[in-house]
Amino acid sequence: MAVLMREAIGGSLRRVRTARRRTLRDVARRARVSLGYLSEVERGRKEPSSELLAAICEALEIALHDLLAEAAEAIAAETVAAEAARLRRPIGLRHMDLRLATADDDGPFTPVSPVAPVAPVAPRPAVPQPAAPRPVALASVRAA
C-alpha cells in the first residue's frame, strides 16, 4: 500500500523533533496547538493545514520546504521498496531453479501420501492377419 502524505509528514516531524530532543509538550506550546492534535499529526492520523504545518516547523526551527523534501524522499523510498518487493515475488519456476533429482533426494515437492508403484503394462497380443490366398492350379479348375 502507498504511503500517504500525512503519514510521511508526520514521520518527518517526529524524526526532527526527537533528533532535536524536544518534547511534544514543548513543541505544542510553541506552535500554539494542542498536545493531542500534534500527537495525531505525528502519527499520520490527522492532516495538518499549511498554516499549522508552518507553525510546527517554526517551533521546531526547521524550514517548511526541508520538511516537505524529507517527506517526499520517504514516499519515494517506500515506493521503490514496494516495487522491488513486487518484482522479487516469484511468478513461476525459472529454468535455473530446476535440477535433476538424485536417488536420495526428497526434493522440495515431496508427495503428501505415498504413491503406489505402477505395474508394467503387458504388450498387446498381435492381431492375426488374414492368410494369404493360396495359388490355385489351373489344371484342377479345368477338371472340375
Side-chain angles (χ1 to χ4, degrees):
M1 190 166 106
V3 176
L4 298 176
M5 183 64 127
R6 69 173 185 252
E7 293 170 345
I9 289 173
S12 296
L13 283 173
R14 179 165 283 172
R15 276 190 292 282
V16 169
R17 181 180 62 76
T18 56
R20 295 183 182 208
R21 299 188 186 274
R22 305 278 299 278
T23 63
L24 267 173
R25 187 177 310 279
D26 178 45
V27 175
R29 190 177 337 115
R30 290 191 63 186
R32 295 186 180 150
V33 64
S34 74
L35 182 109
Y37 190 78
L38 181 59
S39 174
E40 293 282 317
V41 168
E42 280 191 358
R43 287 185 286 157
R45 311 281 175 153
K46 299 285 183 183
E47 194 158 352
S49 66
S50 57
E51 292 87 5
L52 182 62
L53 201 52
I56 295 170
C57 286
E58 187 177 322
L60 286 171
E61 299 169 354
I62 184 174
L64 180 60
H65 66 274
D66 289 337
L67 177 77
L68 295 176
E70 184 180 332
E73 288 173 7
I75 291 172
E78 181 66 29
T79 304
V80 167
E83 181 66 17
R86 186 185 69 80
L87 292 176
R88 275 194 305 264
R89 216 171 336 166
I91 296 172
L93 290 178
R94 299 178 303 229
H95 74 282
M96 62 195 319
D97 294 332
L98 301 176
R99 61 182 175 79
L100 294 176
T102 60
D104 58 323
D105 186 18
D106 289 335
F109 304 107
T110 310
V112 176
S113 61
V115 178
V118 178
V121 178
R124 290 185 176 176
V127 178
Q129 297 292 330
R134 293 188 329 203
V136 178
L138 290 179
S140 62
V141 173
R142 283 188 198 158

